[in-house]
Amino acid sequence: MKNKIVIFKNDRLGDLIHGVAAINNIISNNEDKKVIVFLSKINEKFSFLFKKKNKTVKILNYHLSFIEKIKIVFYFLTNKIEKTYILSPKNFYFYLPLFFYKIKFYGLCVNGLKNYKRPNILLRKLLFKSIINDRATKGKRDSIQLLQLKLSNDEFQDNKKINFQLDIPKSEILKKHLPSNYLLIHFKKQIANKLGWGVYELDIILNELTKFYKKVILIKDLEKDELNSILRKKYKTLDLESGIFYNNNSDILFLDNIQGHDLYNVIKFSSKVIAFHGTITSIAFLNKVSVLDLFYCNIQNKKDYHSYKNAFHEFKPKYQGYDFIIPSKNLDRTMKKMNFALKNN
């Protein structure tokens, strides 16, 4: 029986993307072993991000159930595990070293405000190696991606060394309809609503973007709602779920129901990505695609300021093609910031 390496990363999609380079690094460094990657159901369709033959993916809930915790313990009892990487810092995982002390545990730990620590100091002492994500600091700190890379390999000390490339063939439908040299914009309804942006404001933004790029592609969140039908009637539309193409009289191409491989490739092959900070900007960063990150903030007090500042440093990528603006409810002001950023990149 081969020794096994276990990686816990049952996070949300955006969090998974920040761990992709580290996970692939662990897999590559252990080609003589079996690597088991535990992902969440949310991320199941993105398991293609890990292509090595010595990898197996297992699926958990984002929030572990009692039964799942029992199954994890049983898995550790019945398998020969050499190392375990806790990249999703859920409390339950940090109790495993108490019972499986012969296994080397590598843990991504969290420090927070008011001396909050996950796990506590005693449990941290049981880890073979730990890296601290210090959310309490008011100074600059390493990105979450770099922290995970440092945990997986001592050689990674700088964001500039991060070099991830994955060749996923385009689907036939994308080969047929995806143009070249296009700008990709992602409309996230949840944040747009907070800014008071609706279909009218989106149309203004899209029309402005056509001044910089002749070909503009629009995507939205996967959840189906009334916005899907509104955008389908308004713009040229390709439904990736049904394969139907709606050739409306528009210069904007709306890609409806896009996910998995197609979503990855539409981001990868774009000339520019504009999106609210999250999954889309993270995938663009993986592929070093030029990004204008709309970093939403709702600062009401000093605590909010430090919280957003901390989050910015935790998730902000560092490469030449990355730029960001802070959008506001004042669309004209936001458009001026956006235009300035596009003109200068």
Side-chain angles (χ1 to χ4, degrees):
M1 181 187 295
K2 281 187 176 182
N3 285 3
K4 293 182 178 179
I5 309 295
V6 169
I7 302 172
F8 288 117
K9 193 57 179 166
N10 55 315
D11 278 330
R12 301 189 189 281
L13 181 53
D15 294 317
L16 172 66
I17 298 302
H18 288 284
V20 165
I23 294 172
N24 277 298
N25 186 54
I26 295 167
I27 294 171
S28 297
N29 289 340
N30 294 278
E31 291 185 343
D32 59 328
K33 302 176 179 68
K34 191 76 174 177
V35 181
I36 315 299
V37 185
F38 285 87
L39 300 180
S40 67
K41 290 181 179 178
I42 302 169
N43 296 324
E44 187 172 2
K45 291 185 178 180
F46 281 84
S47 61
F48 66 84
L49 291 169
F50 316 107
K51 295 283 284 184
K52 297 288 184 178
K53 292 181 180 179
N54 61 321
K55 171 267 305 176
T56 298
V57 170
K58 291 184 179 293
I59 303 300
L60 297 168
N61 285 306
Y62 174 74
H63 296 291
L64 294 174
S65 68
F66 177 75
I67 297 299
E68 284 178 317
K69 292 176 182 178
I70 296 297
K71 287 182 177 179
I72 289 171
V73 172
F74 183 76
Y75 185 84
F76 272 68
L77 286 170
T78 56
N79 287 273
K80 191 176 180 181
I81 299 170
E82 181 179 323
K83 299 176 183 177
T84 296
Y85 290 84
I86 304 171
L87 301 184
S88 178
K90 300 178 187 294
N91 280 316
F92 170 75
Y93 298 142
F94 292 108
Y95 285 97
L96 293 174
L98 284 170
F99 306 99
F100 302 100
Y101 52 87
K102 291 185 179 180
I103 299 172
K104 292 180 180 178
F105 283 86
Y106 298 70
L108 176 65
C109 305
V110 178
N111 286 354
L113 297 172
K114 298 181 180 179
N115 204 32
Y116 172 83
K117 287 180 173 55
R118 184 186 348 138
N120 60 46
I121 297 297
L122 292 177
L123 292 178
R124 290 184 186 188
K125 290 181 178 180
L126 300 176
L127 298 171
F128 178 78
K129 181 181 177 180
S130 63
I131 289 287
I132 309 300
N133 181 15
D134 190 1
R135 293 173 175 169
T137 182
K138 294 181 181 180
K140 290 184 178 181
R141 56 196 176 95
D142 290 337
S143 70
I144 192 67
Q145 183 177 52
L146 184 55
L147 288 174
Q148 292 176 86
L149 275 166
K150 285 183 176 181
L151 188 66
S152 71
N153 191 327
D154 292 331
E155 294 180 4
F156 283 97
Q157 299 298 326
D158 196 310
N159 277 288
K160 294 178 181 178
K161 292 185 178 181
I162 300 172
N163 185 21
F164 174 84
Q165 290 294 326
L166 186 62
D167 185 21
I168 303 294
K170 290 180 186 176
S171 63
E172 291 302 317
I173 194 168
L174 280 189
K175 287 180 181 178
K176 182 178 179 180
H177 294 284
L178 196 65
S180 59
N181 191 29
Y182 59 89
L183 180 145
L184 175 68
I185 180 168
H186 176 241
F187 187 73
K188 191 173 183 66
K189 186 179 177 182
Q190 182 183 14
I191 298 180
N193 286 344
K194 293 178 181 178
L195 291 167
W197 297 0
V199 176
Y200 174 75
E201 286 76 16
L202 174 61
D203 197 46
I204 292 175
I205 293 171
L206 290 172
N207 286 330
E208 191 68 22
L209 294 180
T210 56
K211 297 177 182 178
F212 297 91
Y213 286 82
K214 291 182 179 180
K215 299 168 184 177
V216 176
I217 291 179
L218 168 68
I219 59 175
K220 64 177 287 292
D221 291 330
L222 192 59
E223 289 79 12
K224 295 180 181 180
D225 51 32
E226 73 283 352
L227 187 59
N228 293 68
S229 57
I230 293 173
L231 297 179
R232 180 176 295 178
K233 292 175 182 177
K234 196 172 186 62
Y235 307 116
K236 190 183 297 182
T237 300
L238 174 62
D239 188 335
L240 275 301
E241 186 175 67
S242 66
I244 299 174
F245 180 67
Y246 302 85
N247 193 12
N248 297 335
N249 185 23
S250 171
D251 294 327
I252 311 298
L253 173 61
F254 170 47
L255 297 180
D256 199 4
N257 298 313
I258 187 169
Q259 58 182 315
H261 293 76
D262 287 334
L263 176 61
Y264 180 86
N265 276 330
V266 165
I267 297 169
K268 178 180 178 179
F269 290 103
S270 61
S271 300
K272 183 85 173 181
V273 168
I274 298 178
F276 289 111
H277 185 82
T279 300
I280 307 302
T281 56
S282 298
I283 294 176
F285 167 45
L286 276 182
N287 293 282
K288 298 298 184 287
V289 176
S290 179
V291 169
L292 178 58
D293 189 341
L294 308 182
F295 200 90
Y296 171 75
C297 298
N298 182 21
I299 299 173
Q300 301 294 325
N301 50 50
K302 191 174 181 180
K303 182 180 177 182
D304 288 342
Y305 168 77
H306 287 300
S307 177
Y308 280 112
K309 182 183 177 183
N310 226 316
F312 182 73
H313 288 304
E314 180 171 339
F315 296 106
K316 178 184 179 294
K318 294 179 181 179
Y319 66 108
Q320 191 172 1
Y322 176 84
D323 197 4
F324 77 97
I325 64 170
I326 297 176
S328 69
K329 293 183 177 180
N330 187 320
L331 185 62
D332 288 338
R333 187 180 303 165
T334 300
M335 289 306 305
K336 286 179 181 178
K337 293 179 183 179
M338 193 179 295
N339 286 344
F340 179 82
L342 291 170
K343 287 176 182 177
N344 290 276
N345 284 283

